[in-house]
Every structure is written in structure tokens, then in C-alpha cells.
Amino acid sequence: MLSVLRPQHSYEQISVLTCALCVSCSLKCNGIGESRQCFYLRGFSGMLSRLSEWFWNERLWFPEGLGWADLEDRDGLTYAKASDLWVSLPIALAFLIIRQIFERTVAIQLAAALGVKEKVRPQAAHNPTLESYFRITSKNPKQGEIESLGKKTGYSESQIHRWFRRRRNEERPNKLKKFKEASWRFTFYLLAFIAGLAALIDKPWLYKMKEMWAGFPMLTLLPSQYWYYMIELGFYMSLLFSVASDVKRKDFKEQIVHHVATILLISFSWCVNYIRAGTLIMLVHDASDYLLESAKMFNYAGWRKACNYIFIVFAVIFIITRLVIFPFWILHCTWVYPVTVYPPFFGYYFFNGLLFVLQCLHIFWAVLILRMAIKFLPGNNIVEDERSDREETDTEDDEEEQEDRKNGPVQNGHSPLNNNHHRKTE
């Protein structure tokens, strides 16, 4: 709560609220003495009050001579307020609901129109011993463990490899789920980019970035900026809420860091009225994201040439916006220019620190993009998402079955354990 809403109550007011809490909890609290519980509650409220006063200290968030009083509404002018950020919570909830409806209706129809076909996956045979090991111990048994499992089940080494491969595939998201997720993000990023561009196209700070600090911090709030901020913040909060159910990728931890840094960056820039800089940062990020999602959609649909062409455009725009415009224009203007106007303060370092975290993630993802770009070399005709967990196939099953039959009589319907090395194909 401290990071979202400025304190509105003094210590005495909080103490009164605490006494009211005591009454509601049936605790005895009179003018002579307090119960131990009430004493602890008063101490806790005092600690919260002091922590809140420290957190919202003007010297942390503003240059010397400026403060929260400068952002009070007056003369018909409206300024951003921290309490406005509560609006993003119902917006995030609305996004979660809209996404479920979108994926069950629009995304399904779009997948059918593009010819997204889900491959039938071979199911792992029911085996309590292997299932217990899979769930409790490991999904990727080592060689020694495979031999032990073979003795317990009577399965050959190749059959155990195949069982675990199929069982792992059962837990991987199918192609249709990936397509629905990509189509949802594509829709939002495209609309957000168009809306952001429309909101900034006539603003001077889009063309001369030093204008983002003209008159700071007394920068009036426009309706377009308000909704651009609240919708973007609500969307990233919805992504953070749904990350557990989304497709897991190799950069899962980096995605969490990105979502948290983005939410903090949007919230902080709103509270201290860095709104002009914030809108530019959001526009730069939205400029390429929808292209990546559309490339993945065509990839899942099997439209290889369309996927490759879109990916080329995405890679070019990503490099330009994330590795050129963002660090050399925006980051330069938030890191170098402000100190020529105001002495550095904590909020200045905090804001730019979050931007540097995003820049590190940009470099990380740029490496992945270059790795994917290698697939354009002769002999490669499709671009896959390097972050995705590839599905394992059973292309060698027929050969393995022939090898099993060569190993002699079967035990319990399966051939005995052998020492043939199994090669997993992806």
C-alpha cells in the first residue's frame, strides 16, 4: 500500500482507527489502561506511520525545492495522483476476463481460419511405478535410475526413454494454446501501439525529447495520458497474475523480472509525474512486440514464409527501438539531461535504475533474436521461438521396437533391459 497510495492519516488518526479495531475485535480498551493486544496494535500503527512518512519523503522523490504540494490540482489543471493507480486493479481483472472470452471465441476462429492443426500426441502407457517416479522424483531420469526402473517394471531401456518422453510431452502446452496466447498478446500490443502513437503524434516531446522535462514537475495530465497509463499498467499486472498458467519458456525468470520492473516503472513515473517519459518508453516497447506475436501465430499455423518475413521486420524494429532509440535517445535524456536542470536525487537514480534493468533484458533478448536469425541460413526454412520448450518426438520408435525384438524373449510383455544407447530427437 505504501508504494501506491500516499498516507492520508496522521499518527493520531491512525491510533483512533486502531482503537476502533480493538472494539470490533472485542478487546478491552479504556482511558486508564490498554490491553496488551491494543498496545501492540498501536505500536504497529505507529511503525506504519513512520515508515509511510519516510517512504513518501519529498526529498526522496523530488529535486530540492519541489514536493507533493506542487502536484495538487488548482486553477482547473489536473495532475497525476498516486491514488489513481488503484484503477489499474479492476482493469487488470477485466483483462483476465476479456482474455478468457477472446481465447475461447476470436482466437479459436482465427486458428481455424489460418489452419492451425494440433498433432495427436502418443500417450504414455499407464504404469504406476513410472508415474510415481515422474511426479515425485524426476521427469528426466539418469542412466543408473533408468536401469533400476527397468528392473522394477520389466521395461527395456528404450521403452523407459520413450515412456518418459511421451509423459513429458503430455505436460507441454499444445500448439493451439500457444496460438491463442500469441493472438491475445498480438491484439493488445497492436492496439496499444496505435493508441499510443495517436496520443503522442502531436506532442512536442515525441520529436524533441528534452521537452519531456519542460515545466517539470508541474506537468498537467491529459485524458489520453491517463488512459494510456492505466490500460498499460492493468495489462502488465494481468500478465503477472496469469504467468503461472501461461506457456513456460526458457526466459521465464527474465519475464517475471520484466513484468515487475515494468509495473514499478509505470507506477513510479506516474506518482512523481514522469508521465511524458513514461509514455515514450511504453510506445517504444509496443512498437515491435506485436510483430513478434504475429510471427509466432504464423509459425504455429505453418505459414513459414510469412513467419520468416515478419520476423525479419520484427528483428530490425527491435534492434532500432530497443538497442538504439531506447538507450541513446530516451535513456540519455533521462540520465544525462536532468542533472543539467536539477541536482541528482533518489528518485532520479531509482527511475534510471529500472530503465537500466530493462536495457539489460533488451540485450538478453537481442541475443535470442540473433540466434533465431541464424535459422535463415541455407537449409533452414522456419523460425522457432528459442525460448520455447521443444516437443520430443517418437521418430525412432519403429527402430527401437525392432531392436527390442532382437534382444530375445520378452518379460511380462516387454523385452529385457539392454545396453543400447537411446538418442533423443527433438
Side-chain angles (χ1 to χ4, degrees), residues 92-108 177 180-181 183-185 235 238 241-246:
L93 178 60
F95 270 126
L96 293 174
I97 297 173
I98 294 172
R99 175 178 177 176
Q100 294 301 317
I101 299 174
F102 178 90
E103 291 185 351
R104 285 170 168 77
T105 55
V106 179
I108 291 292
K177 176 177 174 60
K180 291 190 296 184
E181 180 180 313
S183 62
W184 164 249
R185 298 192 183 199
F235 178 75
S238 72
F241 295 156
S242 63
V243 70
S245 60
D246 288 344

PDB file of all heavy atoms in Angstrom, residues 92-108 177 180-181 183-185 235 238 241-246:
ATOM      1  N   ALA A  92      -6.980  -4.703 -14.614  1.00  0.00           N
ATOM      2  CA  ALA A  92      -6.256  -5.975 -14.738  1.00  0.00           C
ATOM      3  C   ALA A  92      -7.227  -7.146 -14.658  1.00  0.00           C
ATOM      4  O   ALA A  92      -7.116  -8.115 -15.427  1.00  0.00           O
ATOM      5  CB  ALA A  92      -5.195  -6.087 -13.644  1.00  0.00           C
ATOM      6  N   LEU A  93      -8.172  -7.078 -13.739  1.00  0.00           N
ATOM      7  CA  LEU A  93      -9.180  -8.134 -13.625  1.00  0.00           C
ATOM      8  C   LEU A  93     -10.023  -8.214 -14.893  1.00  0.00           C
ATOM      9  O   LEU A  93     -10.332  -9.310 -15.379  1.00  0.00           O
ATOM     10  CB  LEU A  93     -10.070  -7.864 -12.408  1.00  0.00           C
ATOM     11  CG  LEU A  93     -11.216  -8.868 -12.168  1.00  0.00           C
ATOM     12  CD1 LEU A  93     -10.662 -10.273 -11.962  1.00  0.00           C
ATOM     13  CD2 LEU A  93     -12.061  -8.443 -10.972  1.00  0.00           C
ATOM     14  N   ALA A  94     -10.382  -7.059 -15.440  1.00  0.00           N
ATOM     15  CA  ALA A  94     -11.158  -7.042 -16.686  1.00  0.00           C
ATOM     16  C   ALA A  94     -10.366  -7.677 -17.828  1.00  0.00           C
ATOM     17  O   ALA A  94     -10.932  -8.411 -18.653  1.00  0.00           O
ATOM     18  CB  ALA A  94     -11.544  -5.607 -17.036  1.00  0.00           C
ATOM     19  N   PHE A  95      -9.055  -7.416 -17.878  1.00  0.00           N
ATOM     20  CA  PHE A  95      -8.225  -8.020 -18.915  1.00  0.00           C
ATOM     21  C   PHE A  95      -8.208  -9.547 -18.798  1.00  0.00           C
ATOM     22  O   PHE A  95      -8.239 -10.260 -19.805  1.00  0.00           O
ATOM     23  CB  PHE A  95      -6.795  -7.481 -18.845  1.00  0.00           C
ATOM     24  CG  PHE A  95      -6.570  -6.254 -19.677  1.00  0.00           C
ATOM     25  CD1 PHE A  95      -6.035  -5.109 -19.119  1.00  0.00           C
ATOM     26  CD2 PHE A  95      -6.877  -6.245 -21.025  1.00  0.00           C
ATOM     27  CE1 PHE A  95      -5.828  -3.970 -19.881  1.00  0.00           C
ATOM     28  CE2 PHE A  95      -6.673  -5.120 -21.802  1.00  0.00           C
ATOM     29  CZ  PHE A  95      -6.151  -3.979 -21.223  1.00  0.00           C
ATOM     30  N   LEU A  96      -8.143 -10.056 -17.577  1.00  0.00           N
ATOM     31  CA  LEU A  96      -8.148 -11.503 -17.380  1.00  0.00           C
ATOM     32  C   LEU A  96      -9.451 -12.121 -17.885  1.00  0.00           C
ATOM     33  O   LEU A  96      -9.446 -13.191 -18.512  1.00  0.00           O
ATOM     34  CB  LEU A  96      -7.947 -11.835 -15.902  1.00  0.00           C
ATOM     35  CG  LEU A  96      -6.572 -11.495 -15.311  1.00  0.00           C
ATOM     36  CD1 LEU A  96      -6.568 -11.743 -13.806  1.00  0.00           C
ATOM     37  CD2 LEU A  96      -5.475 -12.314 -15.986  1.00  0.00           C
ATOM     38  N   ILE A  97     -10.565 -11.448 -17.631  1.00  0.00           N
ATOM     39  CA  ILE A  97     -11.864 -11.948 -18.097  1.00  0.00           C
ATOM     40  C   ILE A  97     -11.976 -11.838 -19.612  1.00  0.00           C
ATOM     41  O   ILE A  97     -12.398 -12.786 -20.294  1.00  0.00           O
ATOM     42  CB  ILE A  97     -13.002 -11.174 -17.404  1.00  0.00           C
ATOM     43  CG1 ILE A  97     -12.960 -11.406 -15.895  1.00  0.00           C
ATOM     44  CG2 ILE A  97     -14.362 -11.586 -17.970  1.00  0.00           C
ATOM     45  CD1 ILE A  97     -13.948 -10.559 -15.111  1.00  0.00           C
ATOM     46  N   ILE A  98     -11.598 -10.681 -20.151  1.00  0.00           N
ATOM     47  CA  ILE A  98     -11.662 -10.475 -21.606  1.00  0.00           C
ATOM     48  C   ILE A  98     -10.766 -11.476 -22.323  1.00  0.00           C
ATOM     49  O   ILE A  98     -11.127 -12.004 -23.394  1.00  0.00           O
ATOM     50  CB  ILE A  98     -11.263  -9.034 -21.958  1.00  0.00           C
ATOM     51  CG1 ILE A  98     -12.288  -8.053 -21.396  1.00  0.00           C
ATOM     52  CG2 ILE A  98     -11.141  -8.860 -23.471  1.00  0.00           C
ATOM     53  CD1 ILE A  98     -11.880  -6.602 -21.534  1.00  0.00           C
ATOM     54  N   ARG A  99      -9.617 -11.779 -21.731  1.00  0.00           N
ATOM     55  CA  ARG A  99      -8.709 -12.735 -22.366  1.00  0.00           C
ATOM     56  C   ARG A  99      -9.347 -14.115 -22.478  1.00  0.00           C
ATOM     57  O   ARG A  99      -9.229 -14.778 -23.516  1.00  0.00           O
ATOM     58  CB  ARG A  99      -7.407 -12.822 -21.565  1.00  0.00           C
ATOM     59  CG  ARG A  99      -6.460 -13.895 -22.086  1.00  0.00           C
ATOM     60  CD  ARG A  99      -5.165 -13.931 -21.319  1.00  0.00           C
ATOM     61  NE  ARG A  99      -4.310 -15.002 -21.792  1.00  0.00           N
ATOM     62  CZ  ARG A  99      -3.077 -15.223 -21.362  1.00  0.00           C
ATOM     63  NH1 ARG A  99      -2.555 -14.436 -20.436  1.00  0.00           N
ATOM     64  NH2 ARG A  99      -2.357 -16.217 -21.844  1.00  0.00           N
ATOM     65  N   GLN A 100     -10.009 -14.560 -21.414  1.00  0.00           N
ATOM     66  CA  GLN A 100     -10.661 -15.867 -21.456  1.00  0.00           C
ATOM     67  C   GLN A 100     -11.727 -15.909 -22.538  1.00  0.00           C
ATOM     68  O   GLN A 100     -11.835 -16.904 -23.288  1.00  0.00           O
ATOM     69  CB  GLN A 100     -11.276 -16.186 -20.090  1.00  0.00           C
ATOM     70  CG  GLN A 100     -10.256 -16.366 -18.974  1.00  0.00           C
ATOM     71  CD  GLN A 100      -9.266 -17.484 -19.256  1.00  0.00           C
ATOM     72  OE1 GLN A 100      -9.645 -18.560 -19.715  1.00  0.00           O
ATOM     73  NE2 GLN A 100      -7.996 -17.226 -18.982  1.00  0.00           N
ATOM     74  N   ILE A 101     -12.499 -14.842 -22.653  1.00  0.00           N
ATOM     75  CA  ILE A 101     -13.529 -14.785 -23.696  1.00  0.00           C
ATOM     76  C   ILE A 101     -12.892 -14.743 -25.078  1.00  0.00           C
ATOM     77  O   ILE A 101     -13.329 -15.433 -26.006  1.00  0.00           O
ATOM     78  CB  ILE A 101     -14.437 -13.555 -23.471  1.00  0.00           C
ATOM     79  CG1 ILE A 101     -15.149 -13.669 -22.117  1.00  0.00           C
ATOM     80  CG2 ILE A 101     -15.442 -13.414 -24.599  1.00  0.00           C
ATOM     81  CD1 ILE A 101     -15.943 -12.430 -21.741  1.00  0.00           C
ATOM     82  N   PHE A 102     -11.846 -13.934 -25.218  1.00  0.00           N
ATOM     83  CA  PHE A 102     -11.159 -13.798 -26.505  1.00  0.00           C
ATOM     84  C   PHE A 102     -10.584 -15.135 -26.974  1.00  0.00           C
ATOM     85  O   PHE A 102     -10.741 -15.519 -28.141  1.00  0.00           O
ATOM     86  CB  PHE A 102     -10.049 -12.754 -26.375  1.00  0.00           C
ATOM     87  CG  PHE A 102      -9.241 -12.554 -27.624  1.00  0.00           C
ATOM     88  CD1 PHE A 102      -9.613 -11.606 -28.567  1.00  0.00           C
ATOM     89  CD2 PHE A 102      -8.093 -13.310 -27.863  1.00  0.00           C
ATOM     90  CE1 PHE A 102      -8.872 -11.432 -29.725  1.00  0.00           C
ATOM     91  CE2 PHE A 102      -7.344 -13.133 -29.012  1.00  0.00           C
ATOM     92  CZ  PHE A 102      -7.734 -12.191 -29.950  1.00  0.00           C
ATOM     93  N   GLU A 103      -9.905 -15.836 -26.077  1.00  0.00           N
ATOM     94  CA  GLU A 103      -9.256 -17.085 -26.464  1.00  0.00           C
ATOM     95  C   GLU A 103     -10.264 -18.186 -26.793  1.00  0.00           C
ATOM     96  O   GLU A 103      -9.962 -19.085 -27.567  1.00  0.00           O
ATOM     97  CB  GLU A 103      -8.318 -17.552 -25.348  1.00  0.00           C
ATOM     98  CG  GLU A 103      -7.101 -16.659 -25.173  1.00  0.00           C
ATOM     99  CD  GLU A 103      -6.111 -17.193 -24.159  1.00  0.00           C
ATOM    100  OE1 GLU A 103      -6.463 -18.179 -23.465  1.00  0.00           O
ATOM    101  OE2 GLU A 103      -4.997 -16.641 -24.050  1.00  0.00           O
ATOM    102  N   ARG A 104     -11.457 -18.119 -26.191  1.00  0.00           N
ATOM    103  CA  ARG A 104     -12.477 -19.136 -26.443  1.00  0.00           C
ATOM    104  C   ARG A 104     -13.346 -18.840 -27.662  1.00  0.00           C
ATOM    105  O   ARG A 104     -14.097 -19.709 -28.109  1.00  0.00           O
ATOM    106  CB  ARG A 104     -13.375 -19.291 -25.205  1.00  0.00           C
ATOM    107  CG  ARG A 104     -12.697 -20.038 -24.067  1.00  0.00           C
ATOM    108  CD  ARG A 104     -13.520 -19.957 -22.789  1.00  0.00           C
ATOM    109  NE  ARG A 104     -13.045 -20.878 -21.762  1.00  0.00           N
ATOM    110  CZ  ARG A 104     -11.993 -20.692 -21.006  1.00  0.00           C
ATOM    111  NH1 ARG A 104     -11.271 -19.589 -21.171  1.00  0.00           N
ATOM    112  NH2 ARG A 104     -11.625 -21.584 -20.102  1.00  0.00           N
ATOM    113  N   THR A 105     -13.239 -17.620 -28.176  1.00  0.00           N
ATOM    114  CA  THR A 105     -14.075 -17.246 -29.321  1.00  0.00           C
ATOM    115  C   THR A 105     -13.228 -16.786 -30.506  1.00  0.00           C
ATOM    116  O   THR A 105     -13.060 -17.522 -31.476  1.00  0.00           O
ATOM    117  CB  THR A 105     -15.056 -16.135 -28.901  1.00  0.00           C
ATOM    118  OG1 THR A 105     -14.320 -15.024 -28.340  1.00  0.00           O
ATOM    119  CG2 THR A 105     -16.043 -16.652 -27.857  1.00  0.00           C
ATOM    120  N   VAL A 106     -12.705 -15.578 -30.401  1.00  0.00           N
ATOM    121  CA  VAL A 106     -11.967 -14.992 -31.520  1.00  0.00           C
ATOM    122  C   VAL A 106     -10.736 -15.811 -31.870  1.00  0.00           C
ATOM    123  O   VAL A 106     -10.478 -16.113 -33.048  1.00  0.00           O
ATOM    124  CB  VAL A 106     -11.571 -13.540 -31.196  1.00  0.00           C
ATOM    125  CG1 VAL A 106     -10.772 -12.931 -32.351  1.00  0.00           C
ATOM    126  CG2 VAL A 106     -12.805 -12.699 -30.901  1.00  0.00           C
ATOM    127  N   ALA A 107      -9.936 -16.185 -30.872  1.00  0.00           N
ATOM    128  CA  ALA A 107      -8.690 -16.915 -31.139  1.00  0.00           C
ATOM    129  C   ALA A 107      -8.965 -18.280 -31.765  1.00  0.00           C
ATOM    130  O   ALA A 107      -8.229 -18.722 -32.656  1.00  0.00           O
ATOM    131  CB  ALA A 107      -7.890 -17.072 -29.848  1.00  0.00           C
ATOM    132  N   ILE A 108     -10.020 -18.958 -31.318  1.00  0.00           N
ATOM    133  CA  ILE A 108     -10.365 -20.260 -31.876  1.00  0.00           C
ATOM    134  C   ILE A 108     -10.738 -20.131 -33.351  1.00  0.00           C
ATOM    135  O   ILE A 108     -10.289 -20.921 -34.202  1.00  0.00           O
ATOM    136  CB  ILE A 108     -11.526 -20.895 -31.085  1.00  0.00           C
ATOM    137  CG1 ILE A 108     -11.057 -21.294 -29.676  1.00  0.00           C
ATOM    138  CG2 ILE A 108     -12.082 -22.109 -31.824  1.00  0.00           C
ATOM    139  CD1 ILE A 108     -10.076 -22.431 -29.656  1.00  0.00           C
ATOM    140  N   LYS A 177      -2.902 -23.854 -27.762  1.00  0.00           N
ATOM    141  CA  LYS A 177      -2.764 -22.987 -26.584  1.00  0.00           C
ATOM    142  C   LYS A 177      -1.737 -21.889 -26.853  1.00  0.00           C
ATOM    143  O   LYS A 177      -1.944 -20.725 -26.501  1.00  0.00           O
ATOM    144  CB  LYS A 177      -2.343 -23.811 -25.361  1.00  0.00           C
ATOM    145  CG  LYS A 177      -2.077 -22.976 -24.113  1.00  0.00           C
ATOM    146  CD  LYS A 177      -1.730 -23.840 -22.929  1.00  0.00           C
ATOM    147  CE  LYS A 177      -1.317 -23.001 -21.720  1.00  0.00           C
ATOM    148  NZ  LYS A 177      -2.374 -22.076 -21.270  1.00  0.00           N
ATOM    149  N   LYS A 180      -3.338 -19.285 -29.189  1.00  0.00           N
ATOM    150  CA  LYS A 180      -4.306 -18.418 -28.522  1.00  0.00           C
ATOM    151  C   LYS A 180      -3.606 -17.370 -27.671  1.00  0.00           C
ATOM    152  O   LYS A 180      -4.014 -16.202 -27.646  1.00  0.00           O
ATOM    153  CB  LYS A 180      -5.256 -19.265 -27.672  1.00  0.00           C
ATOM    154  CG  LYS A 180      -6.193 -20.139 -28.481  1.00  0.00           C
ATOM    155  CD  LYS A 180      -7.277 -20.770 -27.633  1.00  0.00           C
ATOM    156  CE  LYS A 180      -6.725 -21.728 -26.614  1.00  0.00           C
ATOM    157  NZ  LYS A 180      -7.813 -22.400 -25.860  1.00  0.00           N
ATOM    158  N   GLU A 181      -2.558 -17.778 -26.980  1.00  0.00           N
ATOM    159  CA  GLU A 181      -1.814 -16.827 -26.162  1.00  0.00           C
ATOM    160  C   GLU A 181      -1.144 -15.761 -27.030  1.00  0.00           C
ATOM    161  O   GLU A 181      -1.177 -14.573 -26.717  1.00  0.00           O
ATOM    162  CB  GLU A 181      -0.769 -17.565 -25.335  1.00  0.00           C
ATOM    163  CG  GLU A 181       0.062 -16.668 -24.441  1.00  0.00           C
ATOM    164  CD  GLU A 181       1.083 -17.435 -23.631  1.00  0.00           C
ATOM    165  OE1 GLU A 181       0.691 -18.463 -23.035  1.00  0.00           O
ATOM    166  OE2 GLU A 181       2.260 -17.022 -23.586  1.00  0.00           O
ATOM    167  N   SER A 183      -2.046 -14.795 -30.064  1.00  0.00           N
ATOM    168  CA  SER A 183      -3.044 -13.934 -30.707  1.00  0.00           C
ATOM    169  C   SER A 183      -3.589 -12.893 -29.731  1.00  0.00           C
ATOM    170  O   SER A 183      -3.882 -11.760 -30.130  1.00  0.00           O
ATOM    171  CB  SER A 183      -4.188 -14.795 -31.262  1.00  0.00           C
ATOM    172  OG  SER A 183      -4.853 -15.499 -30.229  1.00  0.00           O
ATOM    173  N   TRP A 184      -3.723 -13.256 -28.453  1.00  0.00           N
ATOM    174  CA  TRP A 184      -4.181 -12.291 -27.454  1.00  0.00           C
ATOM    175  C   TRP A 184      -3.161 -11.170 -27.269  1.00  0.00           C
ATOM    176  O   TRP A 184      -3.509  -9.981 -27.265  1.00  0.00           O
ATOM    177  CB  TRP A 184      -4.436 -12.988 -26.125  1.00  0.00           C
ATOM    178  CG  TRP A 184      -4.539 -12.070 -24.944  1.00  0.00           C
ATOM    179  CD1 TRP A 184      -3.667 -11.944 -23.904  1.00  0.00           C
ATOM    180  CD2 TRP A 184      -5.590 -11.113 -24.689  1.00  0.00           C
ATOM    181  NE1 TRP A 184      -4.101 -10.991 -23.012  1.00  0.00           N
ATOM    182  CE2 TRP A 184      -5.272 -10.460 -23.468  1.00  0.00           C
ATOM    183  CE3 TRP A 184      -6.755 -10.761 -25.369  1.00  0.00           C
ATOM    184  CZ2 TRP A 184      -6.086  -9.472 -22.928  1.00  0.00           C
ATOM    185  CZ3 TRP A 184      -7.566  -9.761 -24.822  1.00  0.00           C
ATOM    186  CH2 TRP A 184      -7.221  -9.148 -23.621  1.00  0.00           C
ATOM    187  N   ARG A 185      -1.910 -11.530 -27.162  1.00  0.00           N
ATOM    188  CA  ARG A 185      -0.877 -10.510 -26.977  1.00  0.00           C
ATOM    189  C   ARG A 185      -0.721  -9.670 -28.242  1.00  0.00           C
ATOM    190  O   ARG A 185      -0.497  -8.463 -28.165  1.00  0.00           O
ATOM    191  CB  ARG A 185       0.445 -11.169 -26.592  1.00  0.00           C
ATOM    192  CG  ARG A 185       0.381 -11.920 -25.285  1.00  0.00           C
ATOM    193  CD  ARG A 185       1.755 -12.299 -24.787  1.00  0.00           C
ATOM    194  NE  ARG A 185       1.680 -13.078 -23.561  1.00  0.00           N
ATOM    195  CZ  ARG A 185       2.664 -13.237 -22.715  1.00  0.00           C
ATOM    196  NH1 ARG A 185       3.834 -12.663 -22.956  1.00  0.00           N
ATOM    197  NH2 ARG A 185       2.528 -13.963 -21.618  1.00  0.00           N
ATOM    198  N   PHE A 235      -2.706  -4.093 -17.996  1.00  0.00           N
ATOM    199  CA  PHE A 235      -2.350  -5.244 -18.837  1.00  0.00           C
ATOM    200  C   PHE A 235      -1.141  -5.970 -18.271  1.00  0.00           C
ATOM    201  O   PHE A 235      -1.140  -7.210 -18.186  1.00  0.00           O
ATOM    202  CB  PHE A 235      -2.059  -4.773 -20.267  1.00  0.00           C
ATOM    203  CG  PHE A 235      -1.639  -5.885 -21.182  1.00  0.00           C
ATOM    204  CD1 PHE A 235      -2.566  -6.791 -21.669  1.00  0.00           C
ATOM    205  CD2 PHE A 235      -0.306  -6.038 -21.552  1.00  0.00           C
ATOM    206  CE1 PHE A 235      -2.187  -7.828 -22.507  1.00  0.00           C
ATOM    207  CE2 PHE A 235       0.082  -7.064 -22.393  1.00  0.00           C
ATOM    208  CZ  PHE A 235      -0.860  -7.956 -22.875  1.00  0.00           C
ATOM    209  N   SER A 238      -2.063  -7.963 -15.339  1.00  0.00           N
ATOM    210  CA  SER A 238      -2.760  -9.188 -15.727  1.00  0.00           C
ATOM    211  C   SER A 238      -1.782 -10.254 -16.209  1.00  0.00           C
ATOM    212  O   SER A 238      -1.976 -11.442 -15.951  1.00  0.00           O
ATOM    213  CB  SER A 238      -3.799  -8.884 -16.807  1.00  0.00           C
ATOM    214  OG  SER A 238      -3.197  -8.593 -18.058  1.00  0.00           O
ATOM    215  N   PHE A 241      -0.308 -11.765 -13.145  1.00  0.00           N
ATOM    216  CA  PHE A 241      -1.259 -12.641 -12.465  1.00  0.00           C
ATOM    217  C   PHE A 241      -1.405 -13.980 -13.190  1.00  0.00           C
ATOM    218  O   PHE A 241      -1.630 -15.013 -12.555  1.00  0.00           O
ATOM    219  CB  PHE A 241      -2.639 -11.965 -12.374  1.00  0.00           C
ATOM    220  CG  PHE A 241      -2.656 -10.737 -11.513  1.00  0.00           C
ATOM    221  CD1 PHE A 241      -3.610  -9.739 -11.696  1.00  0.00           C
ATOM    222  CD2 PHE A 241      -1.711 -10.552 -10.505  1.00  0.00           C
ATOM    223  CE1 PHE A 241      -3.624  -8.603 -10.905  1.00  0.00           C
ATOM    224  CE2 PHE A 241      -1.717  -9.420  -9.702  1.00  0.00           C
ATOM    225  CZ  PHE A 241      -2.686  -8.450  -9.915  1.00  0.00           C
ATOM    226  N   SER A 242      -1.285 -13.974 -14.512  1.00  0.00           N
ATOM    227  CA  SER A 242      -1.524 -15.185 -15.301  1.00  0.00           C
ATOM    228  C   SER A 242      -0.249 -15.924 -15.677  1.00  0.00           C
ATOM    229  O   SER A 242      -0.306 -16.903 -16.427  1.00  0.00           O
ATOM    230  CB  SER A 242      -2.289 -14.825 -16.578  1.00  0.00           C
ATOM    231  OG  SER A 242      -1.520 -13.962 -17.408  1.00  0.00           O
ATOM    232  N   VAL A 243       0.896 -15.477 -15.171  1.00  0.00           N
ATOM    233  CA  VAL A 243       2.166 -16.063 -15.599  1.00  0.00           C
ATOM    234  C   VAL A 243       2.261 -17.547 -15.235  1.00  0.00           C
ATOM    235  O   VAL A 243       2.912 -18.336 -15.935  1.00  0.00           O
ATOM    236  CB  VAL A 243       3.353 -15.273 -15.001  1.00  0.00           C
ATOM    237  CG1 VAL A 243       3.449 -15.494 -13.499  1.00  0.00           C
ATOM    238  CG2 VAL A 243       4.655 -15.638 -15.685  1.00  0.00           C
ATOM    239  N   ALA A 244       1.590 -17.954 -14.166  1.00  0.00           N
ATOM    240  CA  ALA A 244       1.659 -19.355 -13.751  1.00  0.00           C
ATOM    241  C   ALA A 244       0.949 -20.276 -14.729  1.00  0.00           C
ATOM    242  O   ALA A 244       1.319 -21.444 -14.871  1.00  0.00           O
ATOM    243  CB  ALA A 244       1.065 -19.515 -12.353  1.00  0.00           C
ATOM    244  N   SER A 245      -0.068 -19.770 -15.419  1.00  0.00           N
ATOM    245  CA  SER A 245      -0.834 -20.596 -16.353  1.00  0.00           C
ATOM    246  C   SER A 245      -0.420 -20.409 -17.805  1.00  0.00           C
ATOM    247  O   SER A 245      -0.869 -21.149 -18.680  1.00  0.00           O
ATOM    248  CB  SER A 245      -2.332 -20.294 -16.215  1.00  0.00           C
ATOM    249  OG  SER A 245      -2.597 -18.924 -16.503  1.00  0.00           O
ATOM    250  N   ASP A 246       0.426 -19.408 -18.074  1.00  0.00           N
ATOM    251  CA  ASP A 246       0.882 -19.182 -19.442  1.00  0.00           C
ATOM    252  C   ASP A 246       1.941 -20.205 -19.839  1.00  0.00           C
ATOM    253  O   ASP A 246       2.474 -20.924 -18.995  1.00  0.00           O
ATOM    254  CB  ASP A 246       1.454 -17.772 -19.585  1.00  0.00           C
ATOM    255  CG  ASP A 246       0.375 -16.703 -19.548  1.00  0.00           C
ATOM    256  OD1 ASP A 246      -0.807 -17.059 -19.726  1.00  0.00           O
ATOM    257  OD2 ASP A 246       0.708 -15.522 -19.325  1.00  0.00           O
TER     258      ASP A 246
END
